Amino acid sequence: MANSCLFCRIARHEIPSTVVAEDERLMAFRDVHPQAPTHILIIPKAHVDSLNDVGEFDLVGRMTRMAVAIAEQEGIARRGYRTVINTNADGGQTVFHLHLHLLGGRSLGWPPG
Ligand code: DGP
């Protein structure tokens, strides 16, 4: 799975992406189909299918902390932004490698569809 997984391949730089941040455990890159002026995905480099499969306490915290730092960097922190993790079919997950969406740069509607 991890060998052919799209986001694993992006994490290994085998598939090009616009990387905005990277550390030893995480990578952040621009979404190829942006839904807002800023739309960035934060992923763990090690494969995890979905939020249901996160077996440790600090991974999602690290991902969220990276999202906050990127929001500052992108200049959207003060006006606001949204962080979203879609999980499985009803949650709208289409790529089964855990990812946190960071969306901002416009006013976002609520509730989501
Ligand atoms: P989700 O529906 O939550 O699983 O979101 C998957 C997102 O991944 C979707 O917003 C589009 C994005 N995406 C899919 N394929 C690629 C790709 O090859 N490169 C990049 N940068 N983003 C991708």
Side-chain angles (χ1 to χ4, degrees), residues 6-7 10 15-18 29-33 35 39 41 85-86 91-96 99 101:
L6 175 64
F7 285 179
I10 287 176
I15 292 175
S17 68
T18 306
F29 53 94
R30 292 193 191 278
D31 194 292
V32 78
H33 296 127
Q35 302 300 314
H39 188 172
L41 303 174
I85 298 176
N86 296 326
Q93 185 174 5
T94 60
V95 177
F96 289 86
H99 50 283
H101 294 259

Side-chain angles (χ1 to χ4, degrees), residues 38-80:
T38 294
H39 188 172
I40 290 164
L41 303 174
I42 294 113
I43 64 166
K45 290 181 177 176
H47 186 85
V48 179
D49 278 345
S50 81
L51 193 58
N52 285 341
D53 304 292
V54 174
E56 53 165 303
F57 284 105
D58 71 336
L59 178 62
V60 177
R62 282 173 178 262
M63 293 166 70
T64 304
R65 191 65 197 85
M66 181 175 272
V68 173
I70 294 168
E72 285 285 350
Q73 196 176 292
E74 294 279 311
I76 59 172
R78 189 183 59 80
R79 286 184 62 87

